[in-house]
Amino acid sequence: MPESRNSRLTRPETLTAVGIIVVAAGFLVPTYDLRAISALLPAAMLIGLIVLSVFLLLADQRKASAGEDAAPMTKAPKRVIGAFLMIVSYALACDFVGFYISTAVTIPLVAWTFGYRSPVGLLIATVIVVGTIWAIFDFGMSQDFPAGRLWGR
């Protein structure tokens, strides 16, 4: 009696890779409207996500062709879904309230979601990340990040 198998395209890693590729490509399109120096970082990160997702897709399809069973993507799916929702919220918040406020709120929330519980460590990490971004891009390169639609410019 033949063993019933699910489709190779419905494997969790394949669906995740395809989803990341589609979302990253969707966010990549607006970077063409930015100045070249402003678009460099987000475009490089999005292209990197797409390339890594293609590697994930190819590796998972190779495993599927070898007959390996699909492994579950996570043992804590609610935590992963929450992190994805925070990332989407971060992207929207950058547009509405600005980059620095959104980043200062998102960094400790994501770290807290993934289990880091030291308030002092969260504060230090947030200050270091936001301060480093400000020092490199705003102070060093004279690049302005989005101030947000609510504050206007």
Side-chain angles (χ1 to χ4, degrees), residues 20 24 28 39-52 90 137:
I20 292 172
L28 188 60
L40 180 62
L41 180 62
M45 292 174 66
L46 291 168
I47 290 170
L49 267 176
I50 292 170
V51 169
L52 291 174
Y90 172 68
F137 291 100

Side-chain angles (χ1 to χ4, degrees), residues 14-76:
T14 296
L15 290 174
T16 301
V18 170
I20 292 172
I21 291 168
V22 169
V23 171
F27 283 123
L28 188 60
V29 172
T31 62
Y32 292 114
D33 295 334
L34 300 173
R35 293 183 309 166
I37 192 73
S38 298
L40 180 62
L41 180 62
M45 292 174 66
L46 291 168
I47 290 170
L49 267 176
I50 292 170
V51 169
L52 291 174
S53 296
V54 168
F55 285 135
L56 175 64
L57 179 65
L58 293 175
D60 191 50
Q61 289 301 303
R62 189 171 47 104
K63 288 177 187 175
S65 67
E68 292 183 31
D69 289 332
M73 285 298 292
T74 180
K75 294 179 180 172

Side-chain angles (χ1 to χ4, degrees), residues 75-99:
K75 294 179 180 172
K78 290 180 182 176
R79 184 177 290 176
V80 173
I81 291 169
F84 277 121
L85 290 175
M86 277 192 268
I87 291 170
V88 170
S89 299
Y90 172 68
L92 294 172
C94 281
D95 188 35
F96 287 104
V97 296
F99 174 80

Side-chain angles (χ1 to χ4, degrees), residues 48 60 66 122 139:
D60 191 50
L122 292 171
F139 184 71

Side-chain angles (χ1 to χ4, degrees), residues 5-15 60-61 70:
R5 291 187 176 176
N6 293 334
S7 170
R8 289 174 55 167
L9 297 178
T10 59
R11 295 169 59 97
E13 289 184 1
T14 296
L15 290 174
D60 191 50
Q61 289 301 303

